[in-house]
Amino acid sequence: MLGLKLPTDPRWVNIVEKNIEEILTDHAFCEQKATSTAISLIVSFPEYTDLVQEMTALVKEEISHFKMVHDKIIERGWVLGRDRRDEYVIQLLKFFPKGGSRTTQLVHRLLYAALIEARSCERFRLLSEELEDKELATFYRNLMVSEANHYTMFLGFARKYGNKKEVDAKWQDLLEYEAEIMRDLGTSETIHG
Ligand SMILES: [Fe+2]
Ligand SMILES: [Fe+2]
């Protein structure tokens, strides 16, 4: 599914299930970061008109996801905590060399966003299938459906603006690299942990 090379061990859901407050907090900030990523792409690459149009729509969608998660936190009587350090994202960023042309930088940022969307979508699917908390399982099922197109959109833009052959090769390398990171994760109650 989603081109990912290593599926998440379903036992990760058992860890999550023991600490729903923690996963919801981490998840809320994932949605906030997805919103921020879309805004920063607009700021950095304003001349890519169709990207700007799509990112404008995405900002609205991702911040509405943030609200959905935040509402869920309130419903359960909790208060949103502070953002957590995301080891997955820190490791993932190491794949991309600094510098390069403006187009290269754009392609890297699009591929990075595509991968985070793909992995998040895979994790939401797992939650929707495996959580014993049925209300939360349905919540993740609905979110998964609206996230499913994001990874193909980012990948599509990378192919469109970059050299398609080079982008496809880089995407495959990135998927391999990500699978290596994932081997050491799946052990904490965070969306990517
Ligand atoms: Fe989202
Ligand atoms: Fe998304």
Side-chain angles (χ1 to χ4, degrees):
M1 182 202 182
L2 306 159
L4 298 169
K5 304 275 185 202
L6 188 74
T8 297
D9 186 331
R11 283 175 297 181
W12 167 74
V13 180
N14 302 333
I15 299 167
V16 167
E17 193 109 55
K18 291 197 188 86
N19 198 345
I20 301 289
E21 187 177 2
E22 184 69 23
I23 190 81
L24 287 177
T25 299
D26 182 69
H27 180 185
F29 284 106
C30 287
E31 301 294 355
Q32 171 267 313
K33 283 169 208 157
T35 311
S36 301
T37 296
I39 293 173
S40 85
L41 282 167
I42 295 172
V43 174
S44 302
F45 302 97
E47 73 275 35
Y48 291 83
T49 303
D50 46 356
L51 177 71
V52 172
Q53 289 288 81
E54 285 294 333
M55 290 304 107
T56 306
L58 190 63
V59 168
K60 288 193 207 160
E61 193 184 347
E62 299 291 16
I63 203 69
S64 81
H65 293 166
F66 173 85
K67 180 169 165 45
M68 283 165 68
V69 182
H70 191 227
D71 287 348
K72 195 64 49 201
I73 290 170
I74 296 167
E75 244 172 68
R76 296 197 173 209
W78 298 318
V79 175
L80 178 64
R82 301 287 298 270
D83 189 14
R84 304 332 196 221
R85 186 184 151 90
D86 193 334
E87 201 48 49
Y88 172 76
V89 166
I90 293 167
Q91 292 301 322
L92 208 56
L93 279 171
K94 291 183 184 162
F95 175 84
F96 299 102
K98 297 253 178 298
S101 73
R102 195 168 153 69
T103 314
T104 302
Q105 285 173 34
L106 172 59
V107 165
H108 285 175
R109 283 172 66 177
L110 292 168
L111 290 181
Y112 163 80
L115 188 53
I116 293 178
E117 290 284 356
R119 181 58 76 182
S120 306
C121 194
E122 188 242 8
R123 293 254 163 133
F124 290 176
R125 182 186 53 84
L126 205 55
L127 291 172
S128 75
E129 289 170 359
E130 304 284 336
L131 277 175
E132 282 173 29
D133 182 329
K134 290 302 158 214
E135 195 253 350
L136 209 58
T138 307
F139 176 74
Y140 276 105
R141 159 122 223 108
N142 294 335
L143 262 181
M144 185 199 78
V145 172
S146 62
E147 295 286 358
N149 295 326
H150 294 170
Y151 116 90
T152 44
M153 175 191 60
F154 280 117
L155 194 55
F157 276 129
R159 286 178 173 143
K160 179 177 175 178
Y161 299 138
N163 173 298
K164 192 179 169 302
K165 241 179 136 176
E166 280 172 30
V167 167
D168 285 343
K170 203 171 277 181
W171 175 243
Q172 287 308 314
D173 290 349
L174 180 59
L175 288 170
E176 297 285 351
Y177 177 86
E178 197 255 3
E180 282 305 312
I181 299 174
M182 268 296 148
R183 249 175 258 287
D184 299 327
L185 297 173
T187 55
S188 73
E189 56 278 77
T190 57
I191 294 294
H192 305 119

